[in-house]
Amino acid sequence: MASILQSPGRLLIAFTCIFTTFMGESKVAMSVFRPSNWALAHATFYGDETASATMGGACGYGNLFQSGYGTDTAALSSRLFNNGYACGTCYQIKCYQSSACYNNVAYTTVTATNLCPPNWSEPSDDGGWCNPPRAHFDMSKPAFMKIAQWKAGIVPILYRRVPCERKGGLRFAFQGNGYWLLVYVMNVGGGGDIGSMWVRGSRTGWIQMSHNWGASYQAFATLSGQSLSFRVTSYTTKETVIAWNVAPSNWNVGLTYSSTANFR
């Protein structure tokens, strides 16, 4: 049911609540996520062709190759980052009305994995691209090069939120200790985001976890020596999945545990 991996360290349409159980996972479907309307913004890039500068980041995904996100990623301005609740969200981006655009490219799809912080020493229209209230995407260089010539530096774009298509189940990267569990949730499908989360030990009831930062949630509880299950709710769709017995009783920090449960 669960496997272990090595790891480093708004358009909503409401439906009648449906509860289903399959292969040990449970799902409560509250709504379905549809692509948003296209909106105007700008895009820049950071790092080089290797995308090594994009590893880590404010969402806490660590090595983006090992966590499954690769180089198709972007850092969001604070207006879009939403204090970390936008971590894992997916966007289609296409270059718009610039001589640097590759006109034969419809769009590329990126995942939000980092924050592009404000640069208050520069005006928002000349260097301070991520200053509020701007919507801005600071893309990895490989992702930027799919839509425009990198020498342009900055290009106007059209963007829209889209559902995240993920292969495999949710991944839970553990940090902390037996009395404080910090979990980074990765490979999230559907809305791609996490709005709330609970953990349940084999000797406890459901314990609500608090949002730490980025894609991480924490529980101040004694959970060592217990197998762990998680209940996760999407920030965007409010859909909930329950991943039973994700981590065995001898779980340890520094490891990533996976489940077949995911959002669709």
Side-chain angles (χ1 to χ4, degrees):
M1 182 47 53
S3 61
I4 183 171
L5 303 169
Q6 289 286 67
S7 170
R10 261 165 268 251
L11 294 183
L12 303 179
I13 301 177
F15 284 94
T16 303
C17 178
I18 302 171
F19 182 85
T20 57
T21 303
F22 54 98
M23 295 181 61
E25 274 78 31
S26 302
K27 176 178 289 189
V28 179
M30 299 299 293
S31 59
V32 62
F33 179 68
R34 304 292 188 197
S36 68
N37 294 326
W38 291 99
L40 284 167
H42 284 80
T44 49
F45 67 88
Y46 67 115
D48 58 21
E49 287 86 346
T50 68
S52 59
T54 69
M55 298 301 112
C59 290
Y61 293 140
N63 187 307
L64 298 179
F65 294 106
Q66 294 184 15
S67 57
Y69 297 113
T71 61
D72 291 329
T73 63
L76 306 184
S77 60
S78 56
R79 169 183 165 183
L80 298 174
F81 192 68
N82 193 22
N83 293 320
Y85 287 107
C87 286
T89 53
C90 298
Y91 299 83
Q92 288 177 345
I93 295 177
K94 54 186 177 182
C95 190
Y96 182 66
Q97 293 185 345
S98 169
S99 59
C101 296
Y102 294 140
N103 293 324
N104 61 332
V105 177
Y107 57 79
T108 191
T109 302
V110 297
T111 300
T113 60
N114 204 353
L115 167 68
C116 180
N119 181 1
W120 300 116
S121 65
E122 301 289 346
S124 62
D125 61 348
D126 186 15
W129 309 120
C130 290
N131 294 354
R134 291 177 65 100
H136 189 86
F137 293 80
D138 198 17
M139 304 169 68
S140 72
K141 189 173 183 179
F144 186 91
M145 291 171 64
K146 290 182 178 181
I147 62 168
Q149 300 173 37
W150 69 268
K151 290 184 178 180
I154 181 170
V155 293
I157 61 167
L158 292 172
Y159 76 96
R160 67 174 180 173
R161 276 279 307 275
V162 293
C164 296
E165 297 181 3
R166 303 294 183 205
K167 295 181 179 179
L170 298 172
R171 299 177 186 176
F172 302 86
F174 284 19
Q175 297 295 331
N177 52 53
Y179 310 98
W180 169 62
L181 180 63
L182 181 68
V183 180
Y184 290 87
V185 189
M186 302 174 291
N187 201 48
V188 182
D193 48 18
I194 301 299
S196 55
M197 185 169 164
W198 294 257
V199 60
R200 179 172 180 167
S202 52
R203 299 192 300 272
T204 74
W206 287 108
I207 300 169
Q208 185 163 8
M209 306 178 75
S210 58
H211 184 220
N212 185 286
W213 179 252
S216 68
Y217 282 77
Q218 61 190 358
F220 295 91
T222 303
L223 294 168
S224 59
Q226 302 180 60
S227 59
L228 302 181
S229 302
F230 294 94
R231 189 170 75 201
V232 183
T233 299
S234 167
Y235 184 91
T236 298
T237 68
K238 312 309 177 188
E239 181 185 13
T240 296
V241 294
I242 301 177
W244 294 102
N245 301 316
V246 170
S249 59
N250 63 341
W251 61 265
N252 212 333
V253 298
L255 298 178
T256 295
Y257 299 88
S258 67
S259 169
T260 58
N262 210 331
F263 300 96
R264 297 183 185 275

